[in-house]
Amino acid sequence: MKVLLIAYEFPPILAAQALRWFYLSNELVDIGVEIHVVCPDISTENAFPMDMDARITIHRVWPGPFIGFSQRLAGNVWRNSKAANSRNASKPSWLFQAYRVVRSILNAIFYPDVRSEWYPFALRKIKKLLRDEKFDAVISSHEPCVDIFVGNYARKLGIPWVIDMGDPLLTPYSPKWRRGIDLKVERKVIHSASSIWVTAGSVLDLLISRHGASVERKISVLPQGFSYRRVGRKNKEDEQRFLMVFTGNFYRDFRNPIELAKALFGLQDLAISFIIAGDNSEFEPMFQGIFGVEFAGKKSHFECLELQRQADVLVNIGNVQSYQIPGKIYEYLGAEKAILHIKTAEDSDPGVELLEETGSGIVVKNCSRQIEAVLRDMYRQWVDNPEQLTDGRKEDAIKVHSWSHRARTCKDLLKEILH
């Protein structure tokens, strides 16, 4: 089986879709699938910390004038400032501010954002590859949406075309002026594609409610996953403290940590440490005065994995949107540690269903008193015997969510559309 993947977000980019296809691509070639990837030629300041399998053929294409020239300028500024060993960041700061302003303007001009400038360059490459090679299927990774626009060319040639949609195109954070357009585009691509993959059954239900029961036959669920790696250990100096870890970003509207902060205020009599890794500086005032809380700042995906493996308890705050499940919760499963899931959705929460299915954690409502009570109980178990915290894990059910298993499911789904 030979597959062409179109993925704007692909290593060395560190983003959710890039990581999803980093893992899936590596696992797929291990089970005999030949993978070619078309992605933008984007460099990053830091090298991607893990290698792609050499059997994956990667075709990097110029991302377009704005992204292409701006990243080249940013690289020159960074190298010049590093060479001068200067701590004066004013010049890069002004350039970065100008970049953000211009990008915001272009995001309003291009649909749905400036990354669509990649379209003509990627399409030229896709046409050549589809002319020179024989692919059994083409997959568009979403987001961004430009992957879908480019992949549509495969449909015109009669090649099976899959959209790995993840979240719907129309989301709660879509700009109000664009929501009608997003809905129309979503409807068109769902009916045009050979198959649609989503990350949760709740997304499937949402798309059926929007576009009718007839779309169910072509939509399959292919969730996020985790990779088995060596389990980390806490440092000796940390072993006397109950270590809680959160990796990811808080949001005021749908992942707000205020109730968690209130609960920690009530637990000051316990030897608790709480490390928060992510872009969360604006939430630091909520935790002021709580001993043991550390805002570690942004960490790479792989640094977060190691941090998760050092924890006693991993904290997850569920999304208000009932159709979304953070990919982080699958990473938590692979860390082999107890999970505390704080439910914020009023309706169903796929994160709750996952924890119940795998026996990997405790669910608590987003209420400070209840969170405090649960954490006190978990602390008592840890003092008595830390291994008690993971006694309920159902390892056979958890293995199903590994990336290796996801790749086998992916291959089976491809076989279905080829017959």
Side-chain angles (χ1 to χ4, degrees):
M1 184 185 297
K2 190 173 182 178
V3 175
L4 177 61
L5 169 67
I6 304 166
Y8 191 100
E9 292 193 340
F10 196 77
I13 294 173
L14 270 172
Q17 282 300 99
L19 291 165
R20 176 176 172 86
W21 280 105
F22 164 76
Y23 287 116
L24 280 175
S25 298
N26 279 299
E27 295 288 353
L28 282 167
V29 294
D30 252 357
I31 54 175
V33 179
E34 184 178 347
I35 301 286
H36 285 241
V37 182
V38 173
C39 57
D41 188 8
I42 294 179
S43 60
T44 60
E45 181 179 322
N46 299 312
F48 195 79
M50 293 184 71
D51 294 329
M52 296 296 301
D53 193 298
R55 292 170 290 182
I56 300 169
T57 305
I58 301 177
H59 309 271
R60 298 200 181 273
V61 180
W62 194 50
F66 176 72
I67 299 295
F69 289 132
S70 60
Q71 74 151 352
R72 185 177 301 173
L73 176 62
N76 289 338
V77 169
W78 179 78
R79 282 189 292 271
N80 291 339
S81 62
K82 185 179 180 182
N85 197 24
S86 172
R87 293 185 178 273
N88 183 0
S90 59
K91 186 176 181 181
S93 177
W94 280 108
L95 283 173
F96 183 67
Q97 289 179 41
Y99 164 82
R100 291 184 66 178
V101 170
V102 175
R103 181 159 184 159
S104 66
I105 294 170
L106 291 174
N107 279 341
I109 295 173
F110 287 86
Y111 178 81
D113 58 46
V114 70
R115 291 172 292 182
S116 291
E117 68 169 351
W118 187 53
Y119 176 81
F121 311 102
L123 183 61
R124 185 184 307 138
K125 185 65 177 180
I126 293 294
K127 286 181 176 180
K128 184 178 187 306
L129 284 170
L130 295 182
R131 184 173 62 247
D132 297 345
E133 307 269 357
K134 181 173 175 54
F135 290 99
D136 296 300
V138 173
I139 301 174
S140 289
S141 171
H142 168 262
E143 59 179 36
C145 226
V146 65
D147 294 340
I148 296 175
F149 301 152
V150 176
N152 184 57
Y153 183 75
R155 178 185 65 87
K156 295 177 181 178
L157 298 180
I159 300 172
W161 176 40
V162 177
I163 301 175
D164 184 35
M165 186 171 284
D167 288 341
L169 273 64
L170 172 61
T171 66
Y173 44 84
S174 297
K176 289 184 179 180
W177 64 267
R178 211 184 69 200
R179 290 182 180 177
I181 301 173
D182 286 354
L183 184 61
K184 289 179 181 177
V185 173
E186 182 180 276
R187 180 179 298 115
K188 182 175 178 58
V189 301
I190 286 176
H191 286 284
S192 298
S194 307
S195 183
I196 304 288
W197 298 344
V198 297
T199 55
S202 48
V203 183
L204 167 61
D205 296 338
L206 177 65
L207 294 176
I208 290 172
S209 70
R210 285 180 180 173
H211 307 294
S214 62
V215 303
E216 182 177 6
R217 62 182 175 79
K218 64 166 61 177
I219 302 178
S220 301
V221 179
L222 185 67
Q224 295 290 78
F226 69 88
S227 178
Y228 281 107
R229 296 180 68 212
R230 180 178 56 82
V231 176
R233 299 291 180 213
K234 289 199 291 184
N235 297 324
K236 283 191 175 182
E237 58 269 25
D238 296 329
E239 289 179 354
Q240 300 306 311
R241 296 190 67 83
F242 180 72
L243 178 59
M244 298 164 50
V245 168
F246 173 89
T247 59
N249 294 335
F250 297 132
Y251 298 94
R252 293 195 180 276
D253 295 334
F254 62 91
R255 201 182 295 154
N256 196 312
I258 184 64
E259 293 299 314
L260 173 60
K262 290 178 182 176
L264 291 174
F265 268 112
L267 295 169
Q268 303 260 42
D269 57 311
L270 306 181
I272 291 178
S273 294
F274 184 27
I275 298 177
I276 300 168
D279 189 10
N280 295 305
S281 57
E282 67 173 290
F283 294 91
E284 289 191 41
M286 285 186 187
F287 294 84
Q288 280 185 353
I290 307 176
F291 181 74
V293 175
E294 175 189 348
F295 279 78
K298 292 181 71 173
K299 300 286 185 183
S300 76
H301 167 71
F302 299 98
E303 288 174 323
C304 286
L305 293 185
E306 291 306 315
L307 188 57
Q308 290 165 13
R309 286 165 172 78
Q310 296 173 22
D312 295 301
V313 170
L314 295 166
V315 177
N316 186 61
I317 301 179
N319 288 348
V320 170
Q321 302 95 318
S322 60
Y323 65 82
Q324 284 185 322
I325 179 169
K328 168 174 71 262
I329 202 165
Y330 292 102
E331 296 174 9
Y332 283 5
L333 289 180
E336 302 180 358
K337 299 300 172 70
I339 301 170
L340 174 65
H341 180 79
I342 301 171
K343 183 177 182 293
T344 61
E346 293 184 6
D347 301 320
S348 62
D349 180 340
V352 173
E353 297 169 11
L354 179 62
L355 292 186
E356 290 176 347
E357 168 199 330
T358 58
S360 55
I362 296 175
V363 176
V364 61
K365 289 184 178 179
N366 191 31
C367 165
S368 60
R369 290 193 301 275
Q370 295 187 36
I371 296 170
E372 179 182 345
V374 168
L375 283 173
R376 280 193 179 276
D377 186 58
M378 296 181 86
Y379 181 86
R380 283 194 293 268
Q381 291 183 57
W382 172 77
V383 170
D384 183 47
N385 179 7
E387 292 184 3
Q388 289 185 66
L389 293 170
T390 54
D391 276 351
R393 280 173 59 95
K394 303 172 185 176
E395 296 301 335
D396 288 341
I398 289 170
K399 288 177 184 176
V400 172
H401 299 286
S402 67
W403 282 120
S404 58
H405 192 279
R406 296 285 189 249
R408 290 193 291 273
T409 301
C410 180
K411 186 176 181 180
D412 289 341
L413 291 174
L414 289 169
K415 285 179 178 178
E416 286 180 14
I417 65 171
L418 296 178
H419 292 91

